[in-house]
Amino acid sequence: MIKLTLPASAEDIRALKVGDTVAVTGVMYTARDAAHKYMVESFCKGAPPPAAEQELYDILKADLKGGALYHCGPVVRQVDGRWKFVSAGPTTSAREEVYEDYVIAHFDLKLIIGKGGMGPRTLKACQEHAAVYLHAIGGAGSLIAESVAEVVAVYKKDEFGAPEAFWKIRVKDFPAVVTMDSHGHSLHAAVEQQSKAKLAELLA
Amino acid sequence: MPTPDLTSAFVELIRRAATDLPEDVEHALRQSREKEAAGSAAHSALDTILENVAIARQNSTPICQDTGTPIAYFHYPEGWSTLKLKAQFEAALKEATQAAYLRPNAVNPVTGKNTGDNVGAGTPVMHFEEWENDYLEVELLLKGGGCENVSTQYSLPNAELKAGRDLEGVRRVALDAVYKAQGKGCAPGFLGISVGGDRGVSYFVAKEQLFRKLDEVSPQADVAALEGRITAEANQLGIGPMGFGGETTVLATQIGIPHRHPASFFVTVAYMCWAHRRRTLTWRAGAVEIK
């Protein structure tokens, strides 16, 4: 088990390889489809951020440098005016494949966390910008919620809805496995190739 | 008889479904863990899954944060009001969402607005059927979006897969569906398959299979044999828990066979994630039981 603290450095990331299990501690953001679309369209296409979005942009720019995005739409509950994560496993990452390389490059992200793996564009961005894809265990919502020590803030909740909002969380020993590293290796591509060959055999 | 108010019983049904994995499903997961090599990513994924199942049950929190689309099949005795049952079930969903047993999952596709309470156009999914029994039965499945996205339908013949209009054709497309899903449906999964029907009935029957107990095989011998064969061969694909590679990709396959139009031959594969959340409520002479 490798302990990883956020913000992470390029050296931290280059040391990781496919198959490593990690425990992540620090501040990260949840982001799903609406958040990714928003980031790419508002911030990553080269134009200055729209005036109304400048404040959130500055926050994200500061927090995501060396940081982590978690593909997750949590179940949340408000207790005495404070938000709490009740169940918070990963969602399918493949849906963000069209956005992630822009986001990694623009914000200098180091960790993308989700489930199911991502495609060649993200793998290439991980190589070029020293980032890794971490696989959390899909469906393990209650267990992962226990590693969320604090909900620091939430942005865009009213606009995107609770599952799609940016939740800024502080995690302690968040469990995950490296399945795409910064050296061009992807466990997902390897398993797909093997299973493709086996399928051909079974259908011969 | 007048329809009783079952709102609070429905809230409990939803809570149980979301937080307490059925025994046969947990048993299947435990068995699959035995098959994975010690120290492998697959074994460790199943460890995490089983630990999570225990935590969710103990804390009464959702097993998975994607509490899915609620799919409910109602069988009711003569004289009951389905309008009232529908209203009660929707009220129960709202209450269960408030209590954080459910995540709000009803989104307007055009505006992107979430209703916030799991009730919207076309959701929850409710099927009502009167039966001759004197008691009410409500089967509830919480089906996550990830596994719904990898569910699929084939129209046979399929030239690419050399799948003709017979059980061998069904085998071929079913394995293709498992291959295409990889780990994205949260493997190890469960396959509810329908052979026949129109496109709509085929999806309906495929999902209905997911309510069968895992040891309940098809009454038809050749279909039962195919169920076992698809599971065994899907596991040879080596996709494994979470798609990490490993011995267990599919835990059970269950096939229903509605009649088809002479011109059509649909095979529908409803993929259910490992968090196979199904519970059944019965109401009999005022007594509620949830299994």
Side-chain angles (χ1 to χ4, degrees):
Chain A
M1 177 78 76
I2 298 165
K3 298 256 184 191
L4 204 59
T5 304
L6 295 169
S9 68
E11 293 70 43
D12 294 338
I13 298 305
R14 294 290 183 200
L16 297 172
K17 56 187 193 313
V18 163
D20 288 341
T21 56
V22 297
V24 183
T25 296
V27 167
M28 61 170 74
Y29 277 76
T30 67
R32 291 171 48 117
D33 310 12
H36 276 81
K37 185 167 188 279
Y38 164 81
M39 284 188 286
V40 170
E41 288 177 359
S42 309
F43 308 138
C44 302
K45 292 273 171 86
E53 309 302 333
Q54 185 69 47
E55 191 186 343
L56 180 54
Y57 177 69
D58 292 340
I59 293 170
L60 292 175
K61 194 81 176 129
D63 287 344
L64 295 183
K65 187 170 174 53
L69 279 188
Y70 178 28
H71 301 153
C72 169
V75 175
V76 293
R77 179 157 48 194
Q78 215 166 12
V79 183
D80 301 330
R82 295 186 71 88
W83 288 105
K84 192 179 176 313
F85 272 30
V86 176
S87 189
T91 190
T92 306
S93 300
R95 297 194 307 270
E96 319 313 340
E97 175 68 6
V98 293
Y99 304 118
E100 210 71 86
D101 51 358
Y102 289 105
V103 180
I104 290 171
H106 188 86
F107 290 98
D108 192 21
L109 275 162
K110 289 287 164 256
L111 306 181
I112 301 297
I113 309 171
K115 77 169 173 82
M118 301 188 73
R121 278 176 55 180
T122 302
L123 189 62
K124 185 157 174 275
C126 285
Q127 262 186 293
E128 288 174 359
H129 303 282
V132 285
Y133 177 83
L134 301 183
H135 200 299
I137 300 302
S142 283
L143 181 140
I144 294 173
E146 295 201 330
S147 70
V148 179
E150 183 193 359
V151 176
V152 183
V154 59
Y155 304 102
K156 295 279 175 190
K157 183 174 145 303
D158 293 338
E159 196 177 330
F160 297 164
E164 298 279 337
F166 288 101
W167 294 90
K168 179 178 178 179
I169 53 176
R170 188 181 308 282
V171 301
K172 187 168 187 311
D173 293 332
F174 180 107
V177 184
V178 179
T179 56
M180 292 163 64
D181 64 23
S182 64
H183 308 290
H185 300 119
S186 163
L187 175 66
H188 307 286
V191 170
E192 177 162 7
Q193 276 312 309
Q194 285 162 18
S195 56
K196 188 178 191 176
K198 189 69 203 178
L199 179 70
E201 245 177 69
L202 289 167
L203 299 189
Chain B
M1 67 162 290
T3 306
D5 185 357
L6 294 171
T7 308
S8 60
F10 290 158
V11 173
E12 179 59 10
L13 173 67
I14 294 161
R15 186 193 72 79
R16 283 289 297 280
T19 66
D20 184 3
L21 199 70
E23 198 185 338
D24 60 339
V25 175
E26 190 175 353
H27 179 71
L29 289 165
R30 281 189 193 287
Q31 280 189 319
S32 72
R33 182 172 58 174
E34 300 307 310
K35 292 181 192 136
E36 301 294 347
S40 65
H43 193 280
S44 143
L46 287 162
D47 272 343
T48 302
I49 283 169
L50 287 161
E51 193 186 338
N52 177 64
V53 167
I55 293 172
R57 185 177 291 135
Q58 190 189 336
N59 297 350
S60 196
T61 49
I63 296 164
C64 176
Q65 77 294 333
D66 179 6
T67 53
T69 297
I71 303 172
Y73 290 69
F74 292 74
H75 284 96
Y76 60 93
E78 186 180 346
W80 283 49
S81 161
T82 57
L83 276 179
K84 282 185 181 154
L85 288 173
K86 184 169 186 275
Q88 291 170 12
F89 191 70
E90 289 185 348
L93 281 171
K94 292 179 181 180
E95 201 179 320
T97 309
Q98 273 292 316
Y101 299 137
L102 297 178
R103 187 178 74 183
N105 275 352
V107 178
N108 181 309
V110 177
T111 65
K113 268 284 182 198
N114 193 318
T115 65
D117 59 13
N118 275 305
V119 178
T123 188
V125 181
M126 288 179 276
H127 303 290
F128 292 95
E129 198 172 317
E130 185 179 318
W131 66 359
E132 291 180 347
N133 296 315
D134 63 354
Y135 62 93
L136 171 81
E137 182 182 271
V138 184
E139 296 176 299
L140 173 63
L141 177 72
L142 298 178
K143 192 166 191 303
C147 65
E148 183 69 357
N149 286 348
V150 299
S151 297
T152 184
Q153 188 168 75
Y154 297 85
S155 175
L156 271 49
N158 179 308
E160 192 195 338
L161 295 166
K162 300 196 182 81
R165 294 183 154 192
D166 50 23
L167 291 183
E168 167 61 10
V170 175
R171 180 186 77 90
R172 300 178 80 87
V173 298
L175 292 175
D176 181 66
V178 174
Y179 160 71
K180 289 213 172 88
Q182 291 290 308
K184 293 183 183 67
C186 275
F190 300 85
L191 305 180
I193 297 180
S194 164
V195 180
D198 77 339
R199 286 186 185 273
V201 164
S202 199
Y203 267 112
F204 175 91
V205 171
K207 288 183 184 178
E208 206 175 30
Q209 304 314 305
L210 298 170
F211 285 106
R212 284 161 55 183
K213 277 276 190 290
L214 297 180
D215 58 6
E216 189 190 321
V217 299
S218 170
Q220 203 174 307
D222 50 355
V223 176
L226 181 63
E227 290 176 340
R229 185 172 175 195
I230 289 172
T231 301
E233 293 187 347
N235 288 333
Q236 289 175 33
L237 293 173
I239 292 163
M242 289 298 126
F244 289 171
E247 303 300 317
T248 320
T249 302
V250 167
L251 294 167
T253 303
Q254 292 173 303
I255 301 175
I257 40 173
H259 280 86
R260 63 181 176 88
H261 183 278
S264 301
F265 197 113
F266 297 113
V267 179
T268 302
V269 181
Y271 193 109
M272 186 66 199
C273 56
W274 69 257
H276 190 349
R277 291 153 291 173
R278 56 159 151 67
R279 287 284 170 188
T280 303
L281 173 150
T282 51
W283 181 98
R284 202 188 301 261
V288 172
E289 188 181 18
I290 296 170
K291 278 191 177 163

